[in-house]
Amino acid sequence: MSAEQLGFEGMPRRLYTCTPSRLNAWLDCPRRYRMTYLDRPMPPKGPPWAHNSVGASVHNALAGWWKLPVEQRTPETAGRLLVRGWLTDGFRDEEQSARQRDRARAMVERYVAGLDPEDEPVGVERTVATRTDRIAVSGRVDRLDERGAELVVVDYKTGRHVLTADDARGSLALALYAVASSRMLRRPCHRVELHHLPSGEVAVWEHTDASLARHLGRAEQIAAEAQDADEAYRALRPAARTRPGEAPDHAPFDEVFPPNPSALCAWCDFSRHCPEGQRAASRKEPWAALPAD
């Protein structure tokens, strides 16, 4: 029986549930989006990345530091938390892991030394969410500060490249976190910050209500495209009979989920399943994004 026969014609479309990562995945490469969010079972990923281990270790140490009693929030404690929770996936060998661990420990201790341990954040690793007529979006904020009457979104970065105000301004994720934080806590939130721990630099952008609205509208546009693709996937799925362990059958999906080959394919978790991506760039070694030893 059709939707028209049931009398559902004209009903509002179901909200698209998403995270900023899901929206950005659709923008970056529809094929990668499909393999990440739709294909089940998910195609096996490549080896884990060492730089992700560094980032997760640092984030966990900082989150744990804020959970301690104020009198225990010292740089030395942050360093111990980093060492205790160090993740070892993706490194070339134990020696490389140990060198990067020591570097990360010094980085965390230096960063924490510049913080006021009594300046309690509003949230640490806090999930925020909001919805519009089209999307239900959620994500996790590294730190949510209170500065006067305003909230500030703080995002930690541990990569090699120093970030700029343009990176903060253009970040869809940070803008959506600001909107969601403001709505959930009923406080204004316009300032977003990228804290680059290796350099100590902070990239800042002060949004306006209009610029946040533009980001939200952009998220809705991306979500509408992805939702159309999701619905097409369900219709196309019976044509692809991939068994567990087999390479994904891309042919039935490529009109809706085309690959987007570029130099970034070298960093794709699914490059082994994508001939176009392999031709565009050879996959990097798992430790390639680390700073030079």
Side-chain angles (χ1 to χ4, degrees), residues 8-204:
F8 292 160
E9 184 177 9
M11 288 189 66
R13 194 176 193 184
R14 185 176 182 179
L15 293 183
Y16 181 74
T17 302
C18 60
T19 62
S21 294
R22 183 168 184 144
L23 297 176
N24 283 322
W26 172 257
L27 283 182
D28 290 343
C29 178
R31 177 179 285 178
R32 178 168 68 85
Y33 170 92
R34 190 201 89 216
M35 288 190 284
T36 302
Y37 294 104
L38 302 179
D39 282 353
R40 293 296 179 268
M42 179 190 292
K45 292 184 177 182
W49 299 100
H51 63 274
N52 286 344
S53 292
V54 173
S57 299
V58 169
H59 279 70
N60 292 341
L62 293 174
W65 188 81
W66 282 112
K67 294 175 183 176
L68 295 172
V70 172
E71 63 273 11
Q72 295 181 26
R73 294 176 187 170
T74 66
E76 294 75 20
T77 302
R80 287 195 293 271
L81 288 172
L82 185 285
V83 171
R84 187 185 307 160
W86 184 247
L87 302 173
T88 59
D89 293 336
F91 294 98
R92 181 176 56 234
D93 49 37
E94 291 184 8
E95 183 180 356
Q96 184 186 58
S97 175
R99 286 197 301 270
Q100 295 297 326
R101 181 197 63 213
D102 292 344
R103 169 185 165 273
R105 179 175 189 167
M107 180 171 65
V108 165
E109 291 178 350
R110 184 173 62 247
Y111 177 73
V112 165
L115 299 177
D116 179 356
E118 296 186 2
D119 187 12
E120 203 73 41
V122 175
V124 174
E125 295 291 330
R126 176 164 184 160
T127 297
V128 295
T130 191
R131 61 177 58 197
T132 71
D133 292 339
R134 299 179 182 178
I135 62 173
V137 61
S138 63
R140 192 162 60 181
V141 180
D142 290 343
R143 198 173 86 221
L144 192 60
D145 285 353
E146 182 178 41
R147 314 266 181 88
E150 291 248 351
L151 301 175
V152 176
V153 172
V154 173
D155 195 53
Y156 305 132
K157 294 297 181 184
T158 58
R160 290 184 298 187
H161 301 295
V162 178
L163 303 166
T164 68
D166 282 345
D167 294 303
R169 176 182 61 82
S171 171
L172 179 65
L174 294 186
L176 294 177
Y177 295 158
V179 172
S181 299
S182 178
R183 292 182 177 181
M184 286 182 65
L185 299 176
R186 302 183 185 279
R187 300 273 299 280
C189 184
H190 297 92
R191 183 182 177 98
V192 297
E193 297 180 352
L194 294 168
H195 290 209
H196 186 247
L197 273 68
S199 67
E201 297 291 326
V202 176
V204 177

